[in-house]
Amino acid sequence: MTKKILFFFPENPFSNRAGNVTRAKANLNILKNLGYQIDLVGIEDMYKVMGDTTDIDHNLVDTLFLLSRRPVKRIGSLEYWRYKFSLITTKNNKSNHLLTNYIKASFEKIVEAKKYDYIIINYEFWAGLIDYKPSNNQTTIIDTHDWITLNEFYKNPLLKIGDRFEEEINNLNKFDKVITISNDENFVFKGFLGDKVVNIPPSFPSHFFSNSEKKFDLIFVGSDNIFNIKSMKWFFDNVYPILPDNINIVIIGRICKHLEKRKGVTLVEFSETLDEYYSQSKIAICPMLEGTGIKIKVIEALSFGLPVVGTERAVDGFSSRIANGCLTDNNPEIFKDKIISLLQDESFYKSIKSQAEEYFKNNFSEEKALKKWKNVLTR
């Protein structure tokens, strides 16, 4: 009998919008390739805020369930008034205002109705979904995506780090397995939670183009989160002005909404696929100044065999900070020099490109991720 997985991801993983979404879709592909039946759960408010449709790939997912924060108000509806009363008698989840008791109850009904073998929750701040303690001996798995305490500290330096980190560890400890995607975070969480922590880096199929015509010198792909906005401001304030005038740059994603038109810069707010743009580009850039966790955009670039020029944060979470296809420095002048060296020295470019391809194959291939997920899902 085919085993069943309930996969919770708050946004639509088929929206092709950002790195976290891309990785969620990649995991669904892997789980389907392992032979599992998959149902998907999302949050209605998140779909609305993100402008996501309810379109899903039925080759990967059988059913989509959307959870509402509150029941619909109807005359004489006991369910609605029970919800209103619960607001008085229970405290809001301070780390996730969307996680209401009504959502928890709705999630429990889905789990108990179909008796899933595995429940996979994405993000620590949704851990409360399993507070009711699933029955039927289901295996519960949390995919962390990130070290949330550190991520929130970057956004709010006044955060009470000790309290938030204790909450994070307690939330992760509710699960049978804890998935990390970064070597750094794996080291931290494993120290507190032991062998239940498993590191499964992001994975992509490889697309190593060799003879395709190059239209762009540099490519950057990013959503409009605060870290990408800061990074591109730094790049355009400090690196762009000292680059040669004939440099061609393409920037793809919602980050474009925060950028002005400049000479030699092509802005593409949305593209259904990135293959064409990566194949037409020579170098990927990742000038991240803040943010935690492994950078999906860097791994995606490596999957196309592109050398990456970035700040030191670009290789966060990597098992090796050298010989990985990435050239990093936080000094704008040196950052610029690394770009120019790759563009002007063909043998140097080929050497770094070869490193990128080799490091990707050894660390981020779909085959490696599939084996690791198979081990996690073996009871």
Side-chain angles (χ1 to χ4, degrees):
M1 182 182 293
T2 303
K3 291 189 174 183
K4 295 178 289 188
I5 291 175
L6 187 62
F7 189 93
F8 172 84
F9 189 77
E11 310 166 40
N12 189 333
F14 302 102
S15 63
N16 296 323
R17 182 180 52 252
N20 63 321
V21 172
T22 301
R23 179 173 169 272
K25 181 181 176 182
N27 282 340
L28 288 171
N29 267 294
I30 289 171
L31 297 172
K32 193 64 177 180
N33 287 337
L34 287 171
Y36 291 93
Q37 177 189 324
I38 307 168
D39 285 344
L40 177 66
V41 182
I43 299 297
E44 187 177 63
D45 282 45
M46 291 291 290
Y47 274 58
K48 289 178 180 177
V49 168
M50 293 297 184
D52 288 345
T53 69
T54 55
D55 295 337
I56 60 173
D57 185 345
H58 285 284
N59 293 316
L60 298 180
V61 172
D62 290 352
T63 306
L64 168 64
F65 299 98
L66 281 185
L67 305 182
S68 301
R69 275 195 304 150
R70 60 176 71 86
V72 177
K73 184 178 181 180
R74 294 189 180 95
I75 296 175
S77 171
L78 290 177
E79 186 178 45
Y80 176 79
W81 290 110
R82 277 197 295 265
Y83 163 77
K84 292 291 287 184
F85 182 72
S86 74
L87 297 181
I88 301 171
T89 58
T90 59
K91 293 181 179 179
N92 290 331
N93 187 301
K94 61 182 179 181
S95 298
N96 183 357
H97 71 279
L98 291 178
L99 184 55
T100 62
N101 285 338
Y102 184 70
I103 278 184
K104 289 183 180 182
S106 300
F107 187 78
E108 179 181 358
K109 287 179 183 177
I110 295 169
V111 173
E112 296 306 317
K114 295 190 72 170
K115 304 298 182 186
Y116 295 93
D117 299 283
Y118 299 94
I119 300 171
I120 299 177
I121 305 293
N122 286 268
Y123 303 111
E124 169 268 336
F125 40 83
W126 289 101
L129 288 170
I130 65 159
D131 281 351
Y132 68 94
K133 304 205 179 339
S135 60
N136 198 36
N137 198 32
Q138 291 130 339
T139 299
T140 56
I141 301 168
I142 181 84
D143 189 332
T144 60
H145 283 257
D146 215 338
W147 183 358
I148 298 300
T149 300
L150 185 55
N151 192 291
E152 291 183 1
F153 172 71
Y154 278 125
K155 297 175 183 177
N156 175 22
L158 299 178
L159 178 74
K160 293 182 178 179
I161 299 172
D163 292 346
R164 185 62 184 94
F165 187 53
E166 181 181 11
E167 179 187 14
E168 183 170 13
I169 292 298
N170 288 338
N171 278 338
L172 298 182
N173 200 33
K174 296 173 183 177
F175 292 81
D176 299 311
K177 294 289 183 181
V178 177
I179 307 299
T180 60
I181 66 173
S182 156
N183 277 276
D184 301 338
E185 287 150 21
N186 185 64
F187 174 80
V188 172
F189 292 143
K190 212 173 187 69
F192 290 93
L193 301 170
D195 290 339
K196 69 163 61 181
V197 181
V198 180
N199 196 48
I200 307 180
S203 64
F204 293 96
S206 60
H207 305 279
F208 298 151
F209 301 106
S210 55
N211 299 316
S212 55
E213 183 179 347
K214 304 300 182 184
K215 181 178 177 181
F216 304 106
D217 299 300
L218 307 178
I219 182 172
F220 178 85
V221 178
S223 63
D224 57 349
N225 67 53
I226 187 171
F227 303 125
N228 283 331
I229 293 170
K230 286 183 177 180
S231 72
M232 292 313 289
K233 183 179 187 313
W234 177 86
F235 175 80
F236 280 114
D237 285 350
N238 298 282
V239 180
Y240 175 78
I242 57 177
L243 286 170
D245 288 341
N246 61 347
I247 289 281
N248 286 314
I249 306 170
V250 62
I251 301 173
I252 305 169
R254 292 191 179 190
I255 183 66
C256 293
K257 294 189 292 186
H258 301 268
L259 302 175
E260 60 186 62
K261 290 183 179 179
R262 292 176 171 88
K263 179 184 177 183
V265 179
T266 300
L267 302 177
V268 181
E269 191 170 322
F270 177 79
S271 176
E272 192 67 41
T273 175
L274 297 174
D275 293 24
E276 177 184 359
Y277 291 102
Y278 274 121
S279 68
Q280 294 177 347
S281 301
K282 298 175 184 176
I283 302 166
I285 58 170
C286 182
M288 302 300 289
L289 304 175
E290 295 178 351
T292 58
I294 209 162
K295 307 301 181 284
I296 304 294
K297 61 174 64 65
V298 173
I299 298 168
E300 193 168 33
L302 297 179
S303 76
F304 286 86
L306 265 64
V308 176
V309 176
T311 51
E312 293 173 0
R313 296 240 78 110
V315 292
D316 279 354
F318 276 27
S319 58
S320 173
R321 292 182 176 267
I322 59 172
N324 53 25
C326 303
L327 304 176
T328 63
D329 204 282
N330 291 351
N331 183 301
E333 188 73 35
I334 300 175
F335 194 104
K336 179 265 296 183
D337 289 343
K338 292 182 183 297
I339 291 173
I340 300 303
S341 296
L342 286 169
L343 293 177
Q344 294 182 350
D345 188 333
E346 186 175 353
S347 62
F348 180 58
Y349 181 89
K350 287 181 177 179
S351 171
I352 303 302
K353 177 179 173 61
S354 178
Q355 284 183 12
E357 294 176 357
E358 195 64 24
Y359 190 75
F360 174 83
K361 286 187 289 186
N362 290 336
N363 293 275
F364 307 117
S365 69
E366 283 188 320
E367 293 77 15
K368 287 186 177 295
L370 190 144
K371 288 178 181 177
K372 290 190 174 186
W373 270 111
K374 187 175 182 179
N375 290 335
V376 167
L377 297 171
T378 299
R379 296 202 212 181

